[in-house]
Each structure stands twice: as C-alpha cells, then as structure tokens.
Amino acid sequence: MIHCRNCGGEVEEGLGFCPHCGKSVGSDVDAQAQAAVVSSPPNVVPVPTFGVKRDEGDKSRRVIYVSVAVVSLLLIAGLAYLASRPAVRPGEEHLEDAVRPGSPDYPAGDKLIVEFDPNDNADIAPTALGPWAVAMRPIVRNFTGRTVNGLEFHVVGVDPKGQPIRERIFISRDEIEPNKTFTPSIGINFPQDNKPADLKLELTGVRFK
C-alpha cells in the first residue's frame, strides 16, 4: 500500500488515482510530463534557430528592388541611344571604305565599265497591290586588275518632265575578280499613279579587296 500525496489515504500499488479524493497518485515529475503531453499539439517539432535572426524575406526584397532598378536603367539607356542615333531611312545606306568619283584612286571609265540601258536592262510591271516594281540589271565589267568587293549605285526614277519620283542607294558586296563580268539585280518600287518614264543609274562608290 502507498499513501496519496494529496489526502494521505491508503492506495493500492498500481492504481493511478486515489479512491478517496480522486487525485493522481503519481510523482510531481510524472504529473508535469502528463500535463506537457496534454498541452502540446500533436505532430509539432520545434526547430532551433540557434540565436540567428531570420531575415531572408528582407534580403529577397532587396534583390528584387536592385534587379528592377538595373533593368530600368538599361531600358532608359537604350531609349536614349535610339533617340540620339541619326535616323537612316531605307535606301540611304552607303558603302563603307568605298572609293568615290573625284578620288585619285577611283578607276577610270574604261577600267570599270557599267552598262545600263533601261530598255534592255530593266523590267517594269505592276504588283498585286498596285505599285510599280522595277528590276534593273546593269552589267559591270572589271578591267582594273584588282578584285572589287563592293559597289554602290544611285538609282533614280523620273517622270516625263525629268523630275525625280523616287530614288535609292543600292549596295552590292559581291566580289568581281579582274577581267570578270557581274550583273547585280537592283529593285525599286514606284507609286501606282506615278509610273516612271525613265530610269537613271550612277556608280557612286567602289571598294577593292
């Protein structure tokens, strides 16, 4: 027999509760352990932090803010470059490192010959959408003794009064070896109600290899 720690009554060994007062007959340690089991929620595992402050959220926000700022600066720089860059309209490109008429290195007329007759070297036809499409095929003969790797042409279509309707710069970067012939294909379009009466072709630049 043992005595109840609450009322002092005799309790048979093995009984968990006193038959006199109904209180638990276990020790204080057992009572505290039972209370902890009852009060603790199931399946909860405490995670130690070891005294380290958890600030991952703040770091993530800072990374996002910095990334957005960098992207914004890049976009602003790109827009500023596009705004300050000189606009080049189609047909206004020029051949780089070209020798041009008037230069002492520009080949004489019998060294680099350009043959073009609108009646023989050009075709004109209306397109499905209405405008006139012109295909020009001049013949270039290279007697310079050097390999040509660039030609620049100025093409103009004029009306019956000789006034320009449309013009463009055409660049060919094909190679023409000495004593060889080359026929570039040059295309230009004209408005539906403004068919050209004549075509003019001028060689404005030559580049040697």
Side-chain angles (χ1 to χ4, degrees), residues 117-193:
D117 185 339
N119 297 318
D120 298 329
N121 306 107
D123 295 319
I124 183 170
T127 64
L129 298 178
W132 296 95
V134 175
M136 307 167 65
R137 293 179 297 275
I139 300 173
V140 182
R141 304 182 190 277
N142 181 16
F143 298 120
T144 63
R146 304 168 62 185
T147 299
V148 174
N149 69 350
L151 297 171
E152 179 186 295
F153 296 95
H154 180 220
V155 182
V156 183
V158 299
D159 60 17
K161 296 181 180 180
Q163 298 299 317
I165 302 174
R166 180 163 294 178
E167 57 186 314
R168 66 164 295 193
I169 298 294
F170 175 82
I171 294 176
S172 170
R173 294 182 174 85
D174 293 277
E175 290 192 358
I176 313 173
E177 296 180 354
N179 303 318
K180 296 294 184 179
T181 299
F182 175 65
T183 304
S185 180
I186 303 174
I188 183 171
N189 293 334
F190 294 89
Q192 181 178 6
D193 56 349

Side-chain angles (χ1 to χ4, degrees), residues 68-127:
V68 171
V70 171
V71 172
S72 300
L73 290 175
L74 291 176
L75 289 175
I76 293 173
L79 292 174
Y81 168 74
L82 292 175
S84 61
R85 185 183 62 178
V88 178
R89 293 179 298 178
E92 290 187 349
E93 182 185 9
H94 293 282
L95 180 64
E96 62 278 4
D97 301 325
V99 180
R100 304 190 179 279
S103 170
D105 296 328
Y106 190 80
D110 59 345
K111 298 298 183 181
L112 189 63
I113 303 172
V114 179
E115 299 176 359
F116 177 72
D117 185 339
N119 297 318
D120 298 329
N121 306 107
D123 295 319
I124 183 170
T127 64

